[in-house]
Amino acid sequence: NAGVTQTPKFQVLKTGQSMTLQCAQDMNHNSMYWYRQDPGMGLRLIYYSASEGTTDKGEVPNGYNVSRLNKREFSLRLESAAPSQTSVYFCASSSTGTSHEQYFGPGTRLTVT
Amino acid sequence: AQSVTQLGSHVSVSEGALVLLRCNYSSSVPPYLFWYVQYPNQGLQLLLKYTSAATLVKGINGFEAEFKKSETSFHLTKPSAHMSDAAEYFCAVSSVGSNYKLTFGKGTLLTVNP
Protein backbone atom coordinates (compact mmCIF):
# COMPACT_ATOMS: atom_id res chain seq x y z
CA ASN A 1 0.00 0.00 0.00
CA ALA A 2 2.00 2.99 -1.32
CA GLY A 3 -0.61 5.68 -0.50
CA VAL A 4 -0.17 8.72 -2.77
CA THR A 5 2.75 8.70 -5.20
CA GLN A 6 4.03 11.57 -7.34
CA THR A 7 6.46 11.74 -10.23
CA PRO A 8 8.88 13.29 -10.81
CA LYS A 9 10.43 14.34 -7.47
CA PHE A 10 12.41 17.20 -9.01
CA GLN A 11 12.17 19.06 -12.31
CA VAL A 12 13.86 22.07 -13.87
CA LEU A 13 12.15 23.75 -16.81
CA LYS A 14 12.95 26.71 -18.99
CA THR A 15 10.31 29.43 -19.39
CA GLY A 16 7.78 28.37 -22.02
CA GLN A 17 8.37 24.64 -21.72
CA SER A 18 5.53 22.28 -20.86
CA MET A 19 5.34 19.32 -18.52
CA THR A 20 2.91 17.03 -16.74
CA LEU A 21 3.09 16.10 -13.06
CA GLN A 22 1.72 12.66 -12.33
CA CYS A 23 -0.16 11.53 -9.22
CA ALA A 24 -1.62 8.17 -8.30
CA GLN A 25 -3.33 6.80 -5.19
CA ASP A 26 -4.08 3.22 -4.22
CA MET A 27 -6.56 3.89 -1.39
CA ASN A 28 -9.69 3.79 -3.58
CA HIS A 29 -10.40 7.43 -2.76
CA ASN A 30 -12.96 9.38 -4.75
CA SER A 31 -11.48 12.87 -4.36
CA MET A 32 -8.07 14.10 -5.46
CA TYR A 33 -6.36 17.49 -5.19
CA TRP A 34 -3.39 19.48 -6.47
CA TYR A 35 -1.76 22.12 -4.24
CA ARG A 36 1.23 24.38 -4.53
CA GLN A 37 3.34 25.36 -1.54
CA ASP A 38 5.30 28.59 -1.48
CA PRO A 39 7.29 29.98 1.49
CA GLY A 40 5.05 31.85 3.93
CA MET A 41 1.92 31.08 1.91
CA GLY A 42 0.85 27.71 3.25
CA LEU A 43 -0.73 25.35 0.71
CA ARG A 44 -3.02 26.73 -1.95
CA LEU A 45 -5.47 24.61 -3.94
CA ILE A 46 -4.91 24.63 -7.70
CA TYR A 47 -7.53 22.12 -8.90
CA TYR A 48 -9.49 19.29 -7.44
CA SER A 49 -11.55 16.34 -8.59
CA ALA A 50 -14.45 15.34 -6.36
CA SER A 51 -14.97 12.11 -8.29
CA GLU A 52 -13.84 10.34 -11.43
CA GLY A 53 -14.89 12.37 -14.45
CA THR A 54 -15.17 15.75 -12.68
CA THR A 55 -12.65 18.53 -12.11
CA ASP A 56 -13.01 22.01 -10.64
CA LYS A 57 -10.85 25.07 -10.17
CA GLY A 58 -9.39 25.90 -6.81
CA GLU A 59 -7.86 29.10 -5.50
CA VAL A 60 -4.99 29.48 -8.00
CA PRO A 61 -5.84 27.65 -11.28
CA ASN A 62 -4.35 30.07 -13.83
CA GLY A 63 -1.62 28.52 -15.96
CA TYR A 64 -2.56 24.93 -15.11
CA ASN A 65 -4.78 22.19 -16.49
CA VAL A 66 -5.71 18.83 -14.98
CA SER A 67 -6.93 15.44 -16.09
CA ARG A 68 -8.62 12.83 -13.94
CA LEU A 69 -7.50 9.85 -15.99
CA ASN A 70 -9.32 7.26 -13.87
CA LYS A 71 -10.15 6.80 -10.20
CA ARG A 72 -6.47 6.29 -9.30
CA GLU A 73 -4.72 8.97 -11.34
CA PHE A 74 -4.89 12.77 -11.43
CA SER A 75 -2.35 14.71 -13.51
CA LEU A 76 -1.41 18.40 -13.51
CA ARG A 77 -0.15 20.04 -16.70
CA LEU A 78 1.78 23.25 -17.17
CA GLU A 79 1.35 24.23 -20.83
CA SER A 80 3.83 27.13 -20.87
CA ALA A 81 5.85 27.30 -17.68
CA ALA A 82 6.62 30.67 -16.07
CA PRO A 83 9.08 31.54 -13.28
CA SER A 84 6.06 32.33 -11.05
CA GLN A 85 5.23 28.61 -11.18
CA THR A 86 8.44 27.72 -9.35
CA SER A 87 7.05 25.92 -6.31
CA VAL A 88 6.60 22.60 -4.56
CA TYR A 89 3.54 20.75 -5.82
CA PHE A 90 1.61 18.31 -3.69
CA CYS A 91 -1.07 15.87 -4.69
CA ALA A 92 -3.59 14.61 -2.12
CA SER A 93 -6.56 12.29 -1.99
CA SER A 94 -9.46 11.80 0.39
CA SER A 95 -12.32 9.41 0.99
CA THR A 96 -15.94 10.37 1.46
CA GLY A 97 -16.01 9.05 4.99
CA THR A 98 -16.79 10.96 8.16
CA SER A 99 -13.96 13.47 8.16
CA HIS A 100 -12.81 13.61 4.53
CA GLU A 101 -9.22 13.83 5.75
CA GLN A 102 -6.66 14.22 3.03
CA TYR A 103 -3.55 12.13 2.48
CA PHE A 104 -0.58 13.75 0.79
CA GLY A 105 2.10 12.61 -1.61
CA PRO A 106 5.80 13.44 -1.15
CA GLY A 107 5.76 16.42 -3.50
CA THR A 108 7.42 17.58 -6.71
CA ARG A 109 9.93 20.42 -6.49
CA LEU A 110 9.70 22.44 -9.72
CA THR A 111 12.05 25.22 -10.74
CA VAL A 112 11.33 27.36 -13.81
CA THR A 113 14.27 29.43 -15.07
CA ALA B 1 -16.20 31.20 3.21
CA GLN B 2 -13.67 29.70 5.58
CA SER B 3 -10.24 30.78 6.72
CA VAL B 4 -7.47 29.88 9.15
CA THR B 5 -5.07 32.13 11.03
CA GLN B 6 -1.98 30.70 12.66
CA LEU B 7 -0.45 33.12 15.14
CA GLY B 8 3.33 33.10 14.94
CA SER B 9 5.14 31.98 11.83
CA HIS B 10 8.04 30.75 14.00
CA VAL B 11 7.93 29.32 17.53
CA SER B 12 11.08 28.34 19.42
CA VAL B 13 11.04 26.19 22.58
CA SER B 14 13.57 24.34 24.68
CA GLU B 15 13.61 20.56 24.78
CA GLY B 16 11.23 19.43 27.54
CA ALA B 17 9.19 22.65 27.47
CA LEU B 18 5.52 23.00 26.61
CA VAL B 19 4.66 23.36 22.94
CA LEU B 20 1.71 25.64 22.11
CA LEU B 21 0.87 26.40 18.47
CA ARG B 22 -2.12 28.68 17.95
CA CYS B 23 -4.86 28.31 15.33
CA ASN B 24 -8.04 30.32 14.91
CA TYR B 25 -10.58 29.53 12.24
CA SER B 26 -13.56 31.12 10.57
CA SER B 27 -16.40 29.06 9.19
CA SER B 28 -20.07 29.80 8.65
CA VAL B 29 -21.00 26.15 9.21
CA PRO B 30 -19.72 23.53 11.68
CA PRO B 31 -16.11 22.88 10.79
CA TYR B 32 -13.82 19.94 10.55
CA LEU B 33 -10.37 20.92 11.83
CA PHE B 34 -7.00 19.35 11.20
CA TRP B 35 -3.37 19.71 12.19
CA TYR B 36 -0.74 18.47 9.76
CA VAL B 37 3.03 18.24 10.27
CA GLN B 38 5.66 18.61 7.55
CA TYR B 39 9.23 17.48 8.12
CA PRO B 40 11.92 18.95 5.84
CA ASN B 41 11.59 17.88 2.22
CA GLN B 42 8.60 15.66 2.93
CA GLY B 43 4.85 15.73 2.35
CA LEU B 44 2.23 16.55 4.97
CA GLN B 45 1.28 14.00 7.61
CA LEU B 46 -1.96 14.15 9.57
CA LEU B 47 -1.33 14.76 13.29
CA LEU B 48 -4.94 14.90 14.50
CA LYS B 49 -8.45 15.89 13.50
CA TYR B 50 -11.65 17.27 15.02
CA THR B 51 -14.86 15.97 13.49
CA SER B 52 -17.57 17.13 15.95
CA ALA B 53 -17.10 14.34 18.46
CA ALA B 54 -14.94 14.95 21.56
CA THR B 55 -13.63 18.51 21.82
CA LEU B 56 -10.25 17.37 23.16
CA VAL B 57 -8.53 15.45 20.42
CA LYS B 58 -5.43 13.33 20.87
CA GLY B 59 -3.08 12.70 17.98
CA ILE B 60 0.18 11.03 17.18
CA ASN B 61 3.52 11.75 18.88
CA GLY B 62 1.89 13.03 22.10
CA PHE B 63 0.15 16.03 20.53
CA GLU B 64 -3.37 17.09 21.36
CA ALA B 65 -5.70 19.95 20.46
CA GLU B 66 -8.86 21.37 21.98
CA PHE B 67 -11.77 22.67 19.91
CA LYS B 68 -13.24 25.80 21.52
CA LYS B 69 -16.26 26.98 19.59
CA SER B 70 -16.71 30.17 21.62
CA GLU B 71 -13.14 31.23 20.83
CA THR B 72 -13.11 29.74 17.28
CA SER B 73 -9.80 28.17 18.21
CA PHE B 74 -8.07 24.82 17.77
CA HIS B 75 -4.67 25.23 19.43
CA LEU B 76 -2.11 22.41 19.30
CA THR B 77 -0.21 21.44 22.45
CA LYS B 78 2.38 18.97 23.63
CA PRO B 79 3.49 18.89 27.30
CA SER B 80 7.16 18.22 26.65
CA ALA B 81 8.97 19.06 23.40
CA HIS B 82 11.41 16.63 21.84
CA MET B 83 14.10 17.43 19.32
CA SER B 84 12.27 15.28 16.77
CA ASP B 85 9.24 17.64 16.96
CA ALA B 86 11.11 20.28 14.96
CA ALA B 87 9.04 20.72 11.81
CA GLU B 88 6.45 22.97 10.20
CA TYR B 89 2.88 22.65 11.42
CA PHE B 90 -0.23 23.53 9.46
CA CYS B 91 -3.75 24.04 10.73
CA ALA B 92 -6.57 23.48 8.23
CA VAL B 93 -10.36 23.76 8.12
CA SER B 94 -13.00 22.16 5.94
CA SER B 95 -16.77 21.82 6.04
CA VAL B 96 -19.74 20.62 4.08
CA GLY B 97 -20.09 24.24 2.95
CA SER B 98 -16.73 24.08 1.17
CA ASN B 99 -17.48 20.65 -0.28
CA TYR B 100 -14.83 19.39 2.13
CA LYS B 101 -12.02 21.32 0.46
CA LEU B 102 -9.25 22.19 2.92
CA THR B 103 -8.20 25.76 3.63
CA PHE B 104 -4.76 25.93 5.22
CA GLY B 105 -3.10 28.40 7.51
CA LYS B 106 0.28 29.76 6.50
CA GLY B 107 2.11 27.41 8.86
CA THR B 108 4.21 27.66 12.02
CA LEU B 109 7.82 26.55 12.03
CA LEU B 110 8.69 24.91 15.36
CA THR B 111 12.31 24.97 16.46
CA VAL B 112 13.39 22.88 19.48
CA ASN B 113 16.57 23.97 21.22
CA PRO B 114 18.70 21.52 23.24
Side-chain angles (χ1 to χ4, degrees):
Chain A
N1 189 339
V4 180
T5 57
Q6 293 183 237
T7 55
K9 285 187 168 44
F10 301 94
Q11 184 71 48
V12 179
L13 291 179
K14 293 187 186 334
T15 297
Q17 288 184 318
S18 62
M19 79 161 295
T20 299
L21 282 65
Q22 306 286 356
C23 173
Q25 53 92 8
D26 61 3
M27 296 175 282
N28 201 34
H29 287 167
N30 288 321
S31 300
M32 297 185 74
Y33 310 82
W34 276 106
Y35 295 89
R36 59 178 290 171
Q37 182 180 28
D38 302 291
M41 301 291 289
L43 276 80
R44 293 180 292 169
L45 183 65
I46 304 172
Y47 270 94
Y48 69 102
S49 171
S51 62
E52 187 178 353
T54 69
T55 61
D56 282 292
K57 295 178 181 179
E59 183 184 353
V60 289
N62 291 346
Y64 304 96
N65 284 300
V66 291
S67 295
R68 183 75 182 266
L69 304 169
N70 47 56
K71 191 172 185 179
R72 289 187 64 248
E73 298 172 289
F74 188 39
S75 63
L76 178 72
R77 183 159 178 84
L78 287 69
E79 291 290 352
S80 179
S84 61
Q85 294 178 305
T86 293
S87 189
V88 182
Y89 291 86
F90 288 100
C91 178
S93 68
S94 68
S95 68
T96 52
T98 306
S99 61
H100 300 256
E101 64 204 55
Q102 293 185 20
Y103 296 85
F104 285 78
T108 294
R109 189 173 294 272
L110 175 67
T111 302
V112 183
T113 61
Chain B
Q2 59 190 23
S3 65
V4 172
T5 301
Q6 290 184 241
L7 287 174
S9 59
H10 188 190
V11 170
S12 183
V13 301
S14 298
E15 192 172 19
L18 171 72
V19 175
L20 171 60
L21 304 182
R22 299 179 187 273
C23 172
N24 288 90
Y25 70 91
S26 170
S27 176
S28 57
V29 296
Y32 294 151
L33 293 159
F34 305 84
W35 275 100
Y36 284 87
V37 61
Q38 184 181 32
Y39 299 104
N41 300 313
Q42 293 188 25
L44 277 72
Q45 179 183 0
L46 182 67
L47 262 184
L48 49 79
K49 62 186 179 184
Y50 166 76
T51 59
S52 75
T55 57
L56 182 61
V57 180
K58 294 186 186 300
I60 61 172
N61 302 338
F63 284 93
E64 61 182 39
E66 186 171 10
F67 172 69
K68 291 188 177 180
K69 184 178 178 181
S70 62
E71 298 177 9
T72 60
S73 69
F74 190 57
H75 301 331
L76 182 70
T77 60
K78 182 174 180 177
S80 176
H82 192 273
M83 297 294 290
S84 60
D85 294 327
E88 190 153 24
Y89 292 80
F90 293 94
C91 182
V93 62
S94 76
S95 70
V96 64
S98 70
N99 200 22
Y100 303 106
K101 295 193 301 291
L102 282 175
T103 299
F104 284 88
K106 293 188 181 343
T108 298
L109 181 65
L110 176 66
T111 302
V112 182
N113 303 307

